[in-house]
Amino acid sequence: MSGFDNFNTDFYQSSYSVDDQGQAGYGYSNAENTYNKQYGQYDYSQPMGYSSPGVMQPQQPYTGQIFQPAQTYASSPSQSMYSSSFEDEPPLLEELGINFDHIWQKTLTVLHPMKVADGSIMNETDLAGPMVFCLAFGATLLLSGKIQFGYIYGISSIGCLGMYCLLNLMSMTGVSFGCVASVLGYCLLPMILLSSFGVVFSLQGMLGIIITAAIIGWCSFSASKIFISALAMDGQQLLVAYPCALLYGVFALISVF
């Protein structure tokens, strides 16, 4: 037991003294530091500066109101360019090539065979009027009990292709397929009158034959007049009117029979 008591006495021996409690421990010195001051002695009037990386310093105070932030957004030049481009765009009907003034002038040129045709207007690929006239021609035949829409579009396509080849051989400037289809479609307007007469009375008598011949001459004369003015083919109107008369004669046969 005496050995055990001597062991305990030697185990707790150290150089630590109670008088050293007031001194700084663990390597901290008693140098003057703001963090070692008591709470009552610290000067809070001096602002503390943060130098930690990643912490952003406020550059200027916010001067706006709550829920009403300051307007700092400026329109980009691309947005102003888009807005100006939308205002400068042409109307939709003009982009589609539909001009009601030109349609009306072409219709008057067909209805008045002796009127001089404007070559600049007639040389346009306007298919809005021809489509309407083809539908109207088929509708008037439908009133007579004849469903001939397939024949109308089929004969029109073959006739336009034939006239396109013939006019390119005869003219020096050449012509587009759309222009040929537009002119032949507009000149189908008198044929609508013939099919309308067929709703009221029969076209298989002598009166019907006379009216049919007059309508065929009207359509072929108007088409040849427009082709001559648009393609500058002076002195060749009869040569152009003959194949046009053959084409419109087929439409007349559909109306009569």
Side-chain angles (χ1 to χ4, degrees), residues 19-211:
D19 297 334
D20 296 336
Q21 292 181 358
Q23 298 178 0
Y26 301 100
Y28 290 97
S29 63
N30 289 331
E32 184 177 359
N33 192 353
T34 56
Y35 294 100
N36 292 333
K37 293 181 181 182
Q38 299 295 328
Y39 291 104
Q41 299 177 358
Y42 188 80
D43 188 8
Y44 290 96
S45 62
Q46 298 179 0
M48 296 179 63
Y50 298 94
S51 60
S52 300
V55 179
M56 299 179 61
Q57 298 290 337
Q59 297 180 358
Q60 58 183 0
Y62 178 71
T63 58
Q65 298 180 0
I66 300 177
F67 300 113
Q68 294 181 358
Q71 297 293 333
T72 59
Y73 175 77
S75 60
S76 60
S78 60
Q79 293 182 354
S80 60
M81 179 182 65
Y82 291 152
S83 61
S84 61
S85 63
F86 290 153
E87 294 176 356
D88 297 337
E89 285 187 355
L92 180 59
L93 293 178
E94 185 176 350
E95 290 183 354
L96 295 176
I98 300 175
N99 192 335
F100 290 103
D101 187 19
H102 290 181
I103 292 174
W104 178 246
Q105 292 183 13
K106 292 178 182 179
T107 305
L108 291 180
T109 303
V110 174
L111 293 177
H112 197 295
M114 301 302 173
K115 182 181 179 180
V116 179
D118 189 359
S120 61
I121 297 178
M122 296 303 169
N123 200 12
E124 295 179 353
T125 58
D126 176 23
L127 298 179
M131 291 296 293
V132 173
F133 292 156
C134 287
L135 291 175
F137 182 54
T140 52
L141 290 178
L142 187 61
L143 294 177
S144 302
K146 304 174 183 178
I147 305 175
Q148 306 291 350
F149 288 98
Y151 287 103
I152 292 173
Y153 290 110
I155 295 171
S156 298
S157 302
I158 297 174
C160 291
L161 183 60
M163 289 298 300
Y164 168 72
C165 297
L166 181 62
L167 291 175
N168 280 322
L169 292 175
M170 295 177 62
S171 64
M172 299 296 295
T173 58
V175 64
S176 62
F177 183 80
C179 178
V180 174
S182 177
V183 173
L184 294 178
Y186 273 104
C187 293
L188 191 64
L189 180 58
M191 200 62 61
I192 300 175
L193 300 177
L194 180 63
S195 61
S196 300
F197 293 152
V199 177
V200 179
F201 56 88
S202 177
L203 297 175
Q204 296 182 5
M206 183 58 64
L207 181 61
I209 295 174
I210 295 174
I211 295 176

Side-chain angles (χ1 to χ4, degrees), residues 1-10:
M1 292 296 293
S2 61
F4 184 76
D5 294 336
N6 294 330
F7 174 77
N8 293 336
T9 304
D10 296 337

